[in-house]
Amino acid sequence: MLVRRRLLHAAAASLAGAGASWLLPARAAHHHLAAAAPVRAAGDYAGFLDGIRAQAIRQGLTADSVTRALDLSAPNTQVIARDRNQPEFHMTWAQYRSRVLTQHKIDDGRTAFTARRAILEQQVLTRYDVAAGAVMGIWGLESAYGTIMGKFAVVDALCTLAFEGRRAKFFHDELFHALAILNAGDITPELMTGSYAGAMGQPQFMPSAYVKYAVDIDGDGRRDIWHSMPDIFGSIASYLAGSGWVAGETWGQEISVPDSLAQSALGRTQVRTLAEWMQMGVTQPGGVPFARPDATGAVLRPDGPGGDAFMVYRNFAAIRRYNPSDFYALAVGLLGNEIT
């Protein structure tokens, strides 16, 4: 998950499909049109692949697995077109929320949760003490509950983007993680599919995230984030646990904030006790005081006075590690609450 530069992520993910988990700045809040850079001559591609193959073998990967994975003939023009023509989005939180947190998305999530609740609770949450709602919210935003994962061959896409050169170092590193995954036998090149930028499977992990967080829950010896629900849920839970999820705590809640409270007093870095926030006029909806005045949190009001307001806690930061966007993390939390 990392380096996302797409729209306020789920707007594209939820509306168009897979959550292309890799986009960073623009998964983060706004996405900016990529500057065009000249594509290297296609005739250089064979030499580029030979260099990748030689480097991978020097690093200890088997020649057979590398040769099979790199059986490519030319850069993928669809990948380059997608990478070069990412539209720019400027969206308010209210617009984002209405487009991402649709009743259809919630209903689909409730159906999916009912069908797979036993797997999640009995096989995954007994190992990773994270909230079922956070796992479900991420799964819903990233791949629409596994229905939209992207159909690009991951090695093909990463080779193209590493060759094309605009962010060559990032995609070169991801390519070598992908080759290592294939070398380990977790998946075959034909089945290793994902977004045009290499985000894989139902959690939309970049290969580096897969290497760090993917887990084999079903015990078949492979970490299958494409087809195995225990592995899919377990890998998302592993990511959250590794990102600092605090067991037994919520991510946040909707609150009431007086319009007179200055926007400069708000934001993720402005952490205060709930007692201090109450002294500033912040309460639960309807003026209800917080039950734990000694707890600490920060207030977010994404659209300013008159808009939605949220108190966010430590687990909000764990969700943001998955995708560094306040909008995304709020949507995950709210969707998970509705589903579970």
Side-chain angles (χ1 to χ4, degrees):
M1 300 321 33
L2 327 290
V3 195
R4 327 192 185 236
R5 313 129 294 249
R6 171 179 30 202
L7 123 138
L8 292 158
H9 171 240
S14 258
L15 302 179
S21 255
W22 65 285
L23 301 162
L24 178 74
R27 244 198 158 164
H30 300 80
H31 171 256
H32 297 287
L33 190 63
V39 181
R40 293 164 57 187
D44 296 339
Y45 200 55
F48 166 79
L49 293 176
D50 286 342
I52 294 294
R53 183 179 295 106
Q55 185 179 355
I57 292 170
R58 284 198 304 271
Q59 292 184 8
L61 303 187
T62 64
D64 286 348
S65 70
V66 172
T67 299
R68 180 181 176 189
L70 297 177
D71 184 17
L72 305 168
S73 58
N76 188 315
T77 56
Q78 286 186 308
V79 168
I80 294 172
R82 293 271 190 107
D83 185 54
R84 297 271 181 94
N85 295 285
Q86 301 172 54
E88 183 175 350
F89 290 87
H90 296 286
M91 197 176 297
T92 66
W93 160 249
Q95 291 169 330
Y96 180 88
R97 180 174 184 166
S98 69
R99 296 188 186 193
V100 172
L101 299 179
T102 63
Q103 191 60 49
H104 180 68
K105 174 75 77 177
I106 293 167
D107 291 343
D108 283 353
R110 289 171 177 166
T111 299
F113 180 56
T114 298
R116 298 171 177 84
R117 183 171 184 170
I119 294 173
L120 179 58
E121 293 183 346
Q122 296 171 19
Q123 297 187 48
V124 173
L125 300 187
T126 55
R127 305 189 192 198
Y128 299 98
D129 198 357
V130 304
V135 175
M136 291 298 301
I138 288 172
W139 186 39
L141 261 61
E142 292 298 334
S143 64
Y145 314 108
T147 62
I148 307 174
M149 293 181 279
K151 297 180 179 180
F152 288 90
V154 167
V155 171
D156 181 25
L158 293 174
C159 280
T160 294
L161 292 169
F163 174 76
E164 188 258 0
R166 197 158 55 81
R167 294 182 306 282
K169 175 64 166 63
F170 172 74
F171 288 113
H172 175 277
D173 292 347
E174 293 296 336
L175 171 59
F176 273 79
H177 286 304
L179 293 174
I181 294 165
L182 293 170
N183 191 74
D186 281 313
I187 194 76
T188 64
E190 296 78 17
L191 295 177
M192 182 187 258
T193 55
S195 77
Y196 77 88
M200 308 186 303
Q202 297 192 31
Q204 290 288 280
F205 277 8
M206 289 301 288
S208 58
Y210 179 102
V211 169
K212 188 171 184 179
Y213 295 114
V215 292
D216 172 24
I217 297 292
D218 63 16
D220 68 353
R222 298 181 300 111
R223 297 171 293 172
D224 185 356
I225 62 172
W226 291 266
H227 312 101
S228 167
M229 291 313 307
D231 292 1
I232 290 159
F233 287 155
S235 297
I236 296 172
S238 169
Y239 199 114
L240 289 169
S243 298
W245 187 273
V246 182
E249 294 189 8
T250 185
W251 64 271
Q253 62 184 114
E254 295 202 54
I255 57 173
S256 176
V257 177
D259 287 345
S260 58
L261 188 57
Q263 197 71 4
S264 61
L266 312 181
R268 284 180 290 103
T269 62
Q270 303 291 328
V271 178
R272 298 179 174 85
T273 66
L274 300 188
E276 290 174 308
W277 283 119
M278 285 190 284
Q279 290 174 354
M280 300 167 72
V282 177
T283 66
Q284 297 187 80
V288 178
F290 293 101
R292 293 183 52 203
D294 58 323
T296 59
V299 172
L300 301 182
R301 190 164 53 180
D303 290 344
D308 294 344
F310 303 89
M311 184 71 70
V312 296
Y313 305 105
R314 291 183 289 182
N315 286 337
F316 183 79
I319 298 173
R320 284 189 88 259
R321 285 281 302 278
Y322 206 100
N323 177 338
S325 160
D326 286 351
F327 284 17
Y328 175 89
L330 289 171
V332 164
L334 293 170
L335 180 60
N337 288 355
E338 290 286 350
I339 291 171
T340 60

